[in-house]
Amino acid sequence: MTRKIIIDTDPGQDDAVAILLALASPEEVDVLGITAVAGNVPLELTAKNVRIVCELAGKRDVKVFAGCDRPLGRDLVTAEYIHGKTGLDGPVLPDPTMTLQDGHAVDFIIETLRTEPEGSVTLCPLGPLTNIATAFQKAPDIMPRVAEIVLMGGAYFEVGNVTPAAEFNIYVDPEAAEIVFKSGAPITVMPLDVTHKALTTRARIEAFRDLDTDVGRAVAEWTDFFERFDMEKYGSEGGPLHDPCVIAYLIKPTLFSGRHVNVEIETASELTRGMTVADWWGVTDRPKNAMFMGDVDADGFFDLLTGRLARL
Ligand code: RIB
Ligand code: CA
């Protein structure tokens, strides 16, 4: 069954690989549009990077929109120290020639959810949740129309990557995350607990390079660049390929396992700002609002990813 999706993203090398995986999988996902948000790098760059990736995939007809350039109520925090100045450091790729769609990403999200049949559109946020939350605030009527929100963000047993308590996407805009997690829409979360098990080992990166295509080479060079920071930080055998977990879940959900729990977002404390407080052991009577993933078949994930990238 093909799902209609909107990818909301802040490329970012891992976002780029997620977008390529989606564009290579038309049997499972119909990408209605891609909305850029400020996150890893400022909006002007994320909106440019989405188009670079679409052109690399040979998919110039994808509708790309620019969205919010800062969080709902906080200064923007970016991550050039991980993704480089461009947000897509690694390979040298040509500037895009495809243009942005007119109109704001938030209005595209609202319009699409209002015109597509109720329960037929899945939202796939891969960055801070500012665009999604803004759409929900501006048009609350769309919240019950969302089929599912499958997002990369948060952490529980794996703790934070930008502070001791918080994962980057949630940390950047905790107020937006609170709106999304309280929206009542079905939510599936790919937290660091699972993405830190999807590591780009040397063999896996060479498998990308061995595709011997522009896409394979770009993905190998992105993951080479992206992984160095995490390997130093975690002493791991590779870097976590966070965002493609969202798209892989749409294609092959059995790769993942987790638990349906209550998740609430810390917005008051500076110490734990952006923490995803998951009631993993059911010690409260708070409503279970999220499927919080904790495990992935990493070999199966990379086999799927590499096989699909070979199609582009
Ligand atoms: O914490 C990892 C997340 O933050 C990923 O989505 C990465 O692209 C950055 O946005
Ligand atoms: Ca991202």
Side-chain angles (χ1 to χ4, degrees), residues 8-16 37-41 79 82-83 125-128 152-154 160-162 166-170 172 190-192 195-196 226 230 234 240-244 246:
D8 188 70
T9 178
D10 65 332
Q13 290 87 349
D14 59 320
D15 302 70
V37 67
N40 285 319
V41 288
I82 297 179
H83 299 276
L126 310 178
M152 192 279 140
N161 61 359
V162 67
E167 176 278 326
F168 178 80
N169 288 340
I170 309 299
V172 169
M190 293 290 164
L192 298 181
T195 68
H196 279 193
F226 174 74
D230 288 287
Y234 298 108
L241 208 45
H242 306 286
D243 294 337
V246 167

Side-chain angles (χ1 to χ4, degrees), residues 28-226:
E28 291 90 0
V29 292
D30 173 8
V31 181
L32 300 181
I34 303 180
T35 51
V37 67
N40 285 319
V41 288
L43 177 69
E44 189 188 344
L45 281 174
T46 60
K48 173 182 175 186
N49 291 344
V50 172
R51 289 175 286 153
I52 287 175
V53 177
C54 290
E55 290 193 350
L56 174 67
K59 309 282 184 189
R60 296 174 47 83
D61 56 337
V62 175
K63 290 184 191 167
V64 180
F65 296 82
C68 299
D69 64 0
R70 76 200 61 211
L72 294 183
R74 302 207 184 227
D75 294 338
L76 177 62
V77 173
T78 53
E80 287 87 350
Y81 63 99
I82 297 179
H83 299 276
K85 213 164 72 57
T86 70
L88 284 184
D89 282 25
V92 178
L93 294 169
D95 281 353
T97 56
M98 64 189 277
T99 56
L100 284 171
Q101 297 294 308
D102 294 337
H104 195 284
V106 167
D107 296 323
F108 169 71
I109 292 166
I110 293 169
E111 208 40 51
T112 302
L113 281 165
R114 282 180 171 161
T115 49
E116 293 291 341
E118 182 166 339
S120 67
V121 177
T122 296
L123 301 178
C124 300
L126 310 178
L129 291 162
T130 317
N131 284 343
I132 310 299
T134 305
F136 286 178
Q137 282 182 315
K138 189 172 177 183
D141 60 287
I142 66 173
M143 290 192 283
R145 300 182 63 83
V146 175
E148 186 178 12
I149 299 172
V150 186
L151 67 89
M152 192 279 140
Y156 192 59
F157 294 104
E158 191 67 9
V159 299
N161 61 359
V162 67
T163 71
E167 176 278 326
F168 178 80
N169 288 340
I170 309 299
Y171 175 79
V172 169
D173 199 340
E175 285 71 23
E178 183 176 47
I179 289 167
V180 170
F181 276 79
K182 289 210 157 96
S183 67
I187 299 177
T188 297
V189 183
M190 293 290 164
L192 298 181
D193 303 59
V194 75
T195 68
H196 279 193
K197 296 173 182 171
L199 298 177
T200 57
T201 61
R202 188 50 35 207
R204 288 164 176 166
I205 293 177
E206 289 319 308
F208 295 142
R209 206 182 315 276
D210 291 347
L211 291 175
D212 198 22
T213 60
D214 291 346
V215 165
R217 277 185 289 277
V219 171
E221 290 167 27
W222 278 330
T223 47
D224 264 337
F225 181 89
F226 174 74

